[in-house]
Amino acid sequence: MKLNERSLAFYATCDSPADNAGFLYKRGERHTAYHRRWFVLKGNMLFYFEERESREPVGVIVLEGCTVELCDSAEDYAFAIRFGGAKSRTYVLAAESQAAMESWVKSLSRASFDYMRLVVRELEKQLEEMRWGPAGGGGGGRQSPGSWKPKSSGPERSQERLPALPAVPPKENGCAVWNNVPGAERPPDTSVCGGHDGEGNPRPPPLPPRRRASSGEAGSAGAAAAESPSTFCRLHEQYGREVARLRQDWLERQRGHRP
Amino acid sequence: AVLKKRLVKLVVNFLFYFRTDEAEPIGALLLEHCRITKEQENVFSISFIEEPERKYCFECDSEEQCQEWIEALKRASYEFMRRSLIFYRNEIQKMTGKDPLEQYGISEEARFQLGTRKQ
């Protein structure tokens, strides 16, 4: 499958800050020898370079639909990125310290696009409720007209619009199109964003008709629809529990290995 | 340039394209650091920051479809979502004095940091 590799390499090496970076040992595909590589995590992409100074990555792992877990390995501080699907590969990596391992497991577990979107929606929702109140009442002394109720009773939440926050034009959240992503659900009401690519549009465009997500494959935490703060809390708990459990497992193994 | 009919799917920050009768994509474009431009009627293009003259052009069936895609693609990048998040976080913090990410224990995560990210 073709990829715009040059753009990928640019993303990997440009000066936008990385979400994590460091040396990890990566187990080879065919042979079980580990190779030390320089890893850079940006967004949902885990790039790896032959060396820290290399100008181009040698590979990339797209962190969607995967789980991050401890694995049995003679190598210390080992963990695995596991994908579902018959032909999928499991990437076995090893850090150089316990702290590094925990840091990587944590940041990789939260790297998916879905996770970021979950958090964005949660904050959007909080902001909506703060401005307009949960029952559509005015916040900050402003009466909101009935049509601006943040909660829709209709099937298409996507039809609602938020009025512009000060100095920021209203935009539609393009999450609507990601209906093939695991855990994708109906699009949110709207989104307002301060940072964008400089091409603001003062009028929200009409949303196209959207298919609902069909049964998708399990996301990294079996992501359920994030329709409410409690759902988000639950999901977040799950992520947190996974990390805590990994850590506990690791600690127990360390104690077990002590002579 | 010859126009070829393709099935195009936007999934997270990738634009996959397929031959219309095949299940496996021929290719994909990572949509980070890209610019979406309206070209002539029904046509938009995607170009990337490191090679701005090279345009991937798409012709749609209608102007409406064209606009839909442009709007969706402009918001498709992970980095766009991250900026949105930082913006909302900042707004909520200004309004309430509290960091909304604190209750989830993720306020120190590198990926959610305010202010210091370059774009």
Side-chain angles (χ1 to χ4, degrees):
Chain A
M1 189 188 76
K2 277 199 291 195
L3 263 185
N4 53 333
E5 287 185 12
R6 214 154 159 194
S7 310
L8 267 149
F10 176 81
Y11 186 42
T13 54
C14 74
D15 60 5
S16 66
D19 297 315
N20 207 338
F23 285 105
L24 290 171
Y25 292 88
K26 179 172 161 294
R27 195 165 75 184
E29 234 175 317
R30 279 160 300 181
H31 316 288
T32 52
Y34 283 80
H35 299 280
R36 192 171 186 249
R37 298 275 179 255
W38 177 254
F39 280 77
V40 172
L41 174 64
K42 282 194 185 181
N44 56 348
M45 309 267 133
L46 181 63
F47 298 97
Y48 51 98
F49 299 75
E50 182 129 359
E51 277 154 34
R52 186 170 182 171
E53 306 75 31
S54 302
R55 306 187 74 220
E56 270 190 358
V58 300
V60 63
I61 302 168
V62 180
L63 298 164
E64 295 295 331
C66 59
T67 57
V68 183
E69 41 191 75
L70 277 185
C71 63
D72 270 317
S73 172
E75 201 71 22
D76 282 339
Y77 319 119
F79 58 97
I81 303 173
R82 201 177 296 276
F83 290 85
K87 293 190 287 183
S88 295
R89 185 185 158 173
T90 294
Y91 295 86
V92 179
L93 303 172
E96 293 177 318
S97 70
Q98 190 211 337
M101 186 199 75
E102 286 184 14
S103 156
W104 275 105
V105 167
K106 224 201 289 190
S107 51
L108 292 171
S109 303
R110 293 179 179 145
S112 74
F113 195 92
D114 267 348
Y115 180 81
M116 174 61 83
R117 184 167 51 181
L118 214 63
V119 182
V120 171
R121 290 217 185 143
E122 176 60 23
L123 295 195
E124 258 178 3
K125 193 183 192 67
Q126 282 186 27
L127 206 52
E128 268 182 49
E129 286 177 356
M130 275 163 39
R131 291 198 138 266
W132 308 113
R142 216 184 128 160
Q143 289 301 321
S144 60
S147 59
W148 292 120
K149 283 196 176 57
K151 300 267 189 293
S152 168
S153 51
E156 282 295 330
R157 293 175 72 200
S158 55
Q159 298 308 318
E160 297 211 0
R161 309 278 185 270
L162 262 191
L165 292 181
V168 180
K171 288 176 192 260
E172 285 305 322
N173 189 316
C175 287
V177 300
W178 298 310
N179 52 12
N180 292 316
V181 174
E185 24 5 59
R186 292 170 297 176
D189 299 328
T190 185
S191 80
V192 192
C193 176
H196 51 85
D197 56 5
E199 300 188 33
N201 186 341
R203 243 179 341 103
L207 266 190
R210 293 285 172 224
R211 283 187 295 117
R212 295 291 173 84
S214 46
S215 59
E217 60 273 23
S220 51
E227 295 297 345
S228 67
S230 61
T231 313
F232 176 79
C233 288
R234 228 183 7 253
L235 254 160
H236 195 82
E237 280 289 288
Q238 258 175 292
Y239 277 103
R241 268 202 300 270
E242 266 181 53
V243 174
R245 192 175 51 236
L246 285 174
R247 187 170 190 276
Q248 193 57 33
D249 281 350
W250 187 89
L251 284 172
E252 278 163 12
R253 284 182 199 206
Q254 289 306 298
R255 281 187 224 117
H257 288 154
R258 294 268 142 77
Chain B
V2 180
L3 281 179
K4 297 171 202 163
K5 186 160 184 169
R6 295 283 179 254
L7 174 67
V8 176
K9 271 194 196 178
L10 176 59
V11 182
V12 297
N13 48 349
F14 281 92
L15 190 67
F16 290 95
Y17 49 98
F18 304 68
R19 287 196 191 91
T20 50
D21 54 350
E22 291 179 5
E24 290 296 310
I26 323 171
L29 296 175
L30 172 67
L31 299 167
E32 300 293 336
H33 299 289
C34 62
R35 172 168 284 262
I36 317 296
T37 314
K38 175 81 197 298
E39 303 289 342
Q40 65 262 42
E41 192 178 350
N42 293 355
V43 178
F44 68 88
S45 70
I46 305 175
S47 59
F48 294 87
I49 196 173
E50 77 284 354
E51 208 182 1
E53 345 64 59
R54 170 149 194 205
K55 294 186 176 203
Y56 297 81
C57 287
F58 295 83
E59 183 178 303
C60 306
D61 284 337
S62 69
E63 188 53 38
E64 192 191 352
Q65 189 191 36
C66 188
Q67 279 309 315
E68 284 169 15
W69 275 102
I70 290 174
E71 293 307 316
L73 292 169
K74 280 183 179 174
R75 289 159 182 79
S77 69
Y78 190 100
E79 296 301 326
F80 176 88
M81 271 210 307
R82 194 205 305 271
R83 286 195 297 269
S84 305
L85 183 145
I86 289 171
F87 173 76
Y88 294 144
R89 182 188 185 185
N90 204 29
E91 286 297 298
I92 293 171
Q93 189 145 20
K94 282 195 297 197
M95 287 168 76
T96 64
K98 274 171 56 181
D99 177 0
L101 298 185
E102 238 168 54
Q103 63 176 135
Y104 304 116
I106 53 178
S107 46
E108 296 312 306
E109 291 258 326
R111 68 178 67 246
F112 302 130
Q113 292 322 306
L114 290 156
T116 53
R117 304 196 68 92
K118 290 179 275 181
Q119 263 306 319

